[in-house]
């Protein structure tokens, strides 16, 4: 299996690049943000609980998202590999993911970390908010809260995987195709190593 984490702050292009990467490499896309929005759309108990955090730009509790990922891994035993998008977002989530994969005799192959300046992130999120229908993309206060959560709780996840030499940093500014080219170069390098 080839298991990839596409890492980066909100607005760094993870969703856009994920769509292209899963097509190119035949990976199963696991986006906890998308899974949570589906739960909200179906008005499940989990969705209603998660919405409360998401509306404020805060992270949903670890056990909720870890449970969703556990189910998704179990539901896709024949996948060629997984692309994790927006997960793990805390070191506890990363440790839980490593453990779940180890139970399958698998591991994270590579962590691709998109780097984008904060001003650019805010602009992109506000722009996306005009069409995404996502209330967490229209309010500058909520956007700032999400960036603070990223800085405090999510950025240490890169340090966790750096300990294992798995992190490759990629410039996330420029054209979508150029960024995709940089990501695929790193993947090809890993696949041929
Ligand atoms: P995203 O679509 O990845 O930007 O996620 C939107 C929102 O969903 C985030 O601001 C969080 O409130 C929540 N969320 C998504 N993934 C996670 C995660 N792995 N851990 C905690 N909260 C998450």
């Amino acid at each position: 299996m080839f298991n990839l984490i596409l890492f980066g702050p909100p607005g760094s292009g993870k969703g856009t690049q994920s769509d292209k990467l899963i097509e190119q490499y035949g990976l199963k896309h696991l986006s906890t943000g998308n899974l949570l929005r589906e739960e909200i759309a179906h008005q499940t108990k989990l969705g209603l609980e998660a919405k409360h955090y998401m509306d404020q730009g805060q992270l949903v509790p670890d056990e909720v998202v870890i449970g969703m990922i556990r189910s998704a891994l179990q539901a896709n035993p024949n996948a060629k590999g997984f692309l994790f998008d927006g997960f793990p977002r805390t070191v506890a989530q990363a440790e839980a993911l490593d453990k779940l994969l180890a139970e399958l005799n698998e591991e994270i192959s590579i962590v691709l970390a998109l780097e984008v300046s904060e001003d650019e992130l805010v602009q992109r999120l506000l722009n996306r908010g005009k069409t995404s229908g996502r209330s967490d993309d229209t309010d500058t206060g909520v956007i700032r809260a999400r960036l603070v959560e990223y800085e405090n709780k999510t950025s240490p996840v890169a340090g966790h995987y750096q300990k294992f030499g798995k992190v490759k940093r990629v410039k996330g500014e420029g054209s979508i195709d150029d960024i995709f080219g940089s990501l695929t170069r790193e993947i090809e390098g890993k696949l041929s190593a």
Side-chain angles (χ1 to χ4, degrees):
M1 268 187 168
F2 190 79
N3 297 308
L4 158 68
I5 295 176
L6 191 53
F7 189 75
S12 57
K14 299 189 297 296
T16 305
Q17 295 295 337
S18 289
D19 289 343
K20 293 171 73 69
L21 289 168
I22 54 164
E23 197 182 318
Q24 174 108 351
Y25 295 102
L27 303 174
K28 173 75 187 162
H29 186 195
L30 293 184
S31 154
T32 40
N34 288 351
L35 292 170
L36 288 166
R37 282 184 288 277
E38 275 169 30
E39 296 282 342
I40 293 174
H42 291 105
Q43 299 193 324
T44 64
K45 187 162 166 280
L46 188 156
L48 294 176
E49 189 198 335
K51 187 176 185 321
H52 164 79
Y53 295 95
M54 291 164 80
D55 283 348
Q56 296 178 57
Q58 289 172 359
L59 292 185
V60 171
D62 286 337
E63 43 303 353
V64 174
V65 284
I66 292 167
M68 289 194 322
I69 290 290
R70 183 185 294 114
S71 308
L73 293 179
Q74 284 166 355
N76 293 281
N78 298 320
K80 271 175 72 180
F82 294 96
L83 188 165
F84 298 95
D85 161 10
F87 179 90
R89 260 182 160 99
T90 62
V91 171
Q93 290 178 23
E95 288 169 351
L97 175 63
D98 294 347
K99 202 160 155 248
L100 286 171
L101 289 174
E103 286 166 11
L104 302 170
N105 285 322
E106 293 292 340
E107 62 176 1
I108 291 300
S109 312
I110 194 168
V111 178
L112 296 174
L114 289 167
E115 298 192 312
V116 178
S117 74
E118 180 157 336
D119 285 348
E120 170 92 15
L121 292 173
V122 175
Q123 269 321 310
R124 284 190 193 178
L125 289 168
L126 286 170
N127 267 334
R128 186 170 82 184
K130 291 178 194 159
T131 53
S132 69
R134 283 181 56 172
S135 57
D136 59 345
D137 285 344
T138 47
D139 181 317
T140 329
V142 175
I143 289 175
R144 291 277 171 210
R146 288 162 68 198
L147 294 174
V148 170
E149 286 279 79
Y150 176 82
E151 227 16 76
N152 292 340
K153 298 180 185 165
T154 306
S155 61
V157 171
H160 170 81
Y161 286 108
Q162 226 148 14
K163 283 192 296 198
F164 307 103
K166 294 186 192 259
V167 180
K168 298 285 178 196
R169 297 184 184 274
V170 171
K171 187 166 162 251
E173 295 184 25
S175 79
I176 290 176
D177 285 344
D178 284 349
I179 299 165
F180 182 63
S182 307
L183 294 170
T184 53
R185 263 193 299 284
E186 295 294 351
I187 294 173
E188 298 299 333
K190 176 71 194 175
L191 286 172
S192 62

